[in-house]
Short mmCIF file of all heavy atoms in Angstrom, two decimals:
data_model
loop_
_atom_site.label_atom_id
_atom_site.label_comp_id
_atom_site.label_asym_id
_atom_site.label_seq_id
_atom_site.Cartn_x
_atom_site.Cartn_y
_atom_site.Cartn_z
N ASN A 32 145.06 292.39 79.75
CA ASN A 32 144.91 293.08 78.49
C ASN A 32 145.40 294.53 78.53
O ASN A 32 145.59 295.16 77.49
CB ASN A 32 143.46 293.04 78.03
CG ASN A 32 143.00 291.62 77.67
OD1 ASN A 32 143.84 290.78 77.37
ND2 ASN A 32 141.71 291.40 77.72
N ASN A 33 145.56 295.07 79.73
CA ASN A 33 145.98 296.49 79.88
C ASN A 33 147.45 296.63 80.19
O ASN A 33 147.93 297.76 80.40
CB ASN A 33 145.17 297.16 80.99
CG ASN A 33 143.69 297.27 80.65
OD1 ASN A 33 143.32 297.42 79.48
ND2 ASN A 33 142.86 297.21 81.67
N THR A 34 148.18 295.54 80.23
CA THR A 34 149.56 295.57 80.72
C THR A 34 150.45 296.56 79.96
O THR A 34 151.05 297.44 80.57
CB THR A 34 150.22 294.18 80.66
OG1 THR A 34 149.42 293.26 81.43
CG2 THR A 34 151.61 294.20 81.22
N LEU A 35 150.51 296.44 78.65
CA LEU A 35 151.40 297.32 77.85
C LEU A 35 150.99 298.79 77.97
O LEU A 35 151.83 299.67 78.08
CB LEU A 35 151.44 296.87 76.41
CG LEU A 35 152.07 295.50 76.18
CD1 LEU A 35 151.99 295.10 74.70
CD2 LEU A 35 153.52 295.47 76.63
N LYS A 36 149.70 299.05 77.95
CA LYS A 36 149.18 300.42 78.06
C LYS A 36 149.53 300.99 79.43
O LYS A 36 149.98 302.14 79.54
CB LYS A 36 147.66 300.40 77.84
CG LYS A 36 147.04 301.78 77.99
CD LYS A 36 145.53 301.68 77.81
CE LYS A 36 144.86 303.02 78.06
NZ LYS A 36 143.38 302.96 77.93
N MET A 37 149.35 300.18 80.47
CA MET A 37 149.59 300.67 81.83
C MET A 37 151.06 300.85 82.11
O MET A 37 151.44 301.68 82.95
CB MET A 37 148.97 299.70 82.85
CG MET A 37 147.45 299.83 82.93
SD MET A 37 146.89 301.46 83.44
CE MET A 37 147.43 301.45 85.16
N ILE A 38 151.95 300.09 81.48
CA ILE A 38 153.39 300.28 81.66
C ILE A 38 153.76 301.73 81.30
O ILE A 38 154.49 302.40 82.00
CB ILE A 38 154.20 299.29 80.79
CG1 ILE A 38 154.18 297.90 81.44
CG2 ILE A 38 155.65 299.75 80.63
CD1 ILE A 38 154.85 296.82 80.62
N LYS A 39 153.22 302.19 80.20
CA LYS A 39 153.51 303.58 79.75
C LYS A 39 152.97 304.60 80.75
O LYS A 39 153.62 305.59 81.07
CB LYS A 39 152.84 303.82 78.37
CG LYS A 39 153.47 302.99 77.26
CD LYS A 39 152.76 303.25 75.94
CE LYS A 39 153.40 302.40 74.82
NZ LYS A 39 152.70 302.62 73.51
N THR A 40 151.77 304.34 81.27
CA THR A 40 151.16 305.26 82.24
C THR A 40 151.96 305.28 83.56
O THR A 40 152.26 306.34 84.11
CB THR A 40 149.70 304.84 82.53
OG1 THR A 40 148.97 304.85 81.31
CG2 THR A 40 149.05 305.80 83.52
N ILE A 41 152.27 304.08 84.04
CA ILE A 41 152.96 303.96 85.36
C ILE A 41 154.36 304.58 85.29
O ILE A 41 154.84 305.15 86.27
CB ILE A 41 153.00 302.49 85.81
CG1 ILE A 41 151.59 302.03 86.12
CG2 ILE A 41 153.88 302.32 87.00
CD1 ILE A 41 151.45 300.53 86.35
N LYS A 42 155.02 304.49 84.14
CA LYS A 42 156.35 305.07 83.99
C LYS A 42 156.36 306.56 84.35
O LYS A 42 157.36 307.07 84.87
CB LYS A 42 156.83 304.90 82.55
CG LYS A 42 157.61 303.62 82.28
CD LYS A 42 158.16 303.66 80.86
CE LYS A 42 159.09 302.50 80.61
NZ LYS A 42 159.66 302.56 79.25
N ASN A 43 155.28 307.23 84.09
CA ASN A 43 155.20 308.69 84.32
C ASN A 43 154.95 309.07 85.76
O ASN A 43 155.15 310.21 86.15
CB ASN A 43 154.09 309.29 83.44
CG ASN A 43 154.40 309.18 81.95
OD1 ASN A 43 155.56 309.30 81.54
ND2 ASN A 43 153.39 308.96 81.14
N ILE A 44 154.49 308.13 86.58
CA ILE A 44 154.08 308.46 87.94
C ILE A 44 154.82 307.65 89.01
O ILE A 44 154.71 307.96 90.22
CB ILE A 44 152.57 308.29 88.15
CG1 ILE A 44 152.14 306.83 87.90
CG2 ILE A 44 151.79 309.23 87.23
CD1 ILE A 44 150.71 306.53 88.28
N ILE A 45 155.57 306.63 88.61
CA ILE A 45 156.17 305.72 89.61
C ILE A 45 157.24 306.42 90.41
O ILE A 45 157.98 307.28 89.92
CB ILE A 45 156.72 304.45 88.90
CG1 ILE A 45 156.94 303.34 89.92
CG2 ILE A 45 158.00 304.75 88.13
CD1 ILE A 45 157.07 301.96 89.33
N LYS A 46 157.33 306.06 91.70
CA LYS A 46 158.32 306.63 92.61
C LYS A 46 159.32 305.54 93.02
O LYS A 46 159.04 304.35 92.91
CB LYS A 46 157.59 307.18 93.87
CG LYS A 46 156.65 308.34 93.52
CD LYS A 46 155.88 308.80 94.76
CE LYS A 46 154.92 309.92 94.39
NZ LYS A 46 154.12 310.35 95.58
N PRO A 47 160.50 305.95 93.51
CA PRO A 47 161.57 304.99 93.80
C PRO A 47 161.18 303.87 94.77
O PRO A 47 161.64 302.75 94.64
CB PRO A 47 162.68 305.88 94.39
CG PRO A 47 162.44 307.21 93.79
CD PRO A 47 160.96 307.35 93.67
N ASN A 48 160.32 304.18 95.76
CA ASN A 48 159.96 303.15 96.75
C ASN A 48 158.72 302.35 96.36
O ASN A 48 158.25 301.53 97.14
CB ASN A 48 159.74 303.80 98.12
CG ASN A 48 161.07 304.12 98.78
OD1 ASN A 48 162.10 303.57 98.44
ND2 ASN A 48 161.02 305.03 99.76
N ASP A 49 158.17 302.61 95.21
CA ASP A 49 157.04 301.82 94.73
C ASP A 49 157.54 300.42 94.34
O ASP A 49 158.64 300.24 93.80
CB ASP A 49 156.37 302.46 93.51
CG ASP A 49 155.59 303.71 93.90
OD1 ASP A 49 155.25 303.85 95.08
OD2 ASP A 49 155.32 304.53 93.01
N ILE A 50 156.72 299.43 94.63
CA ILE A 50 157.07 298.03 94.38
C ILE A 50 156.15 297.47 93.27
O ILE A 50 154.94 297.71 93.32
CB ILE A 50 156.90 297.19 95.66
CG1 ILE A 50 157.87 297.69 96.73
CG2 ILE A 50 157.16 295.70 95.37
CD1 ILE A 50 157.61 297.06 98.09
N ILE A 51 156.71 296.73 92.36
CA ILE A 51 155.94 296.06 91.34
C ILE A 51 155.92 294.57 91.62
O ILE A 51 156.99 293.98 91.87
CB ILE A 51 156.52 296.32 89.94
CG1 ILE A 51 156.40 297.80 89.59
CG2 ILE A 51 155.81 295.46 88.88
CD1 ILE A 51 157.16 298.17 88.33
N THR A 52 154.75 293.98 91.68
CA THR A 52 154.67 292.51 91.80
C THR A 52 154.09 291.94 90.53
O THR A 52 153.21 292.51 89.89
CB THR A 52 153.79 292.08 93.00
OG1 THR A 52 152.43 292.36 92.72
CG2 THR A 52 154.23 292.77 94.28
N ILE A 53 154.64 290.79 90.13
CA ILE A 53 154.19 290.07 88.95
C ILE A 53 153.42 288.85 89.39
O ILE A 53 153.79 288.14 90.33
CB ILE A 53 155.39 289.65 88.06
CG1 ILE A 53 156.26 290.86 87.72
CG2 ILE A 53 154.89 288.98 86.81
CD1 ILE A 53 157.50 290.50 86.93
N ILE A 54 152.32 288.59 88.71
CA ILE A 54 151.43 287.47 89.07
C ILE A 54 152.18 286.15 89.09
O ILE A 54 153.02 285.88 88.23
CB ILE A 54 150.24 287.42 88.08
CG1 ILE A 54 149.14 286.49 88.60
CG2 ILE A 54 150.68 287.03 86.69
CD1 ILE A 54 148.34 287.07 89.71
N GLY A 55 151.90 285.34 90.10
CA GLY A 55 152.47 284.00 90.16
C GLY A 55 151.76 283.06 89.18
O GLY A 55 150.84 283.46 88.48
N GLY A 56 152.17 281.81 89.18
CA GLY A 56 151.51 280.84 88.32
C GLY A 56 152.43 279.81 87.70
O GLY A 56 153.45 279.48 88.27
N GLY A 57 152.06 279.35 86.51
CA GLY A 57 152.83 278.31 85.86
C GLY A 57 153.10 278.60 84.40
O GLY A 57 153.12 277.71 83.56
N ASN A 58 153.30 279.89 84.09
CA ASN A 58 153.47 280.27 82.69
C ASN A 58 154.80 280.91 82.37
O ASN A 58 154.95 281.66 81.42
CB ASN A 58 152.33 281.18 82.23
CG ASN A 58 152.11 282.37 83.15
OD1 ASN A 58 153.04 282.84 83.77
ND2 ASN A 58 150.86 282.84 83.23
N MET A 59 155.84 280.63 83.18
CA MET A 59 157.17 281.10 82.90
C MET A 59 157.85 280.09 81.98
O MET A 59 158.48 279.13 82.42
CB MET A 59 157.99 281.30 84.20
CG MET A 59 159.34 281.98 83.98
SD MET A 59 160.31 282.14 85.50
CE MET A 59 159.46 283.44 86.36
#
Side-chain angles (χ1 to χ4, degrees):
N32 293 337
N33 294 329
T34 302
L35 294 177
K36 178 182 176 182
M37 285 298 291
I38 284 175
K39 294 179 181 178
T40 302
I41 293 170
K42 269 186 172 182
N43 294 324
I44 61 172
I45 198 163
K46 296 176 182 177
N48 283 340
D49 289 339
I50 298 171
I51 295 170
T52 70
I53 305 176
I54 192 76
N58 51 30
M59 188 182 286

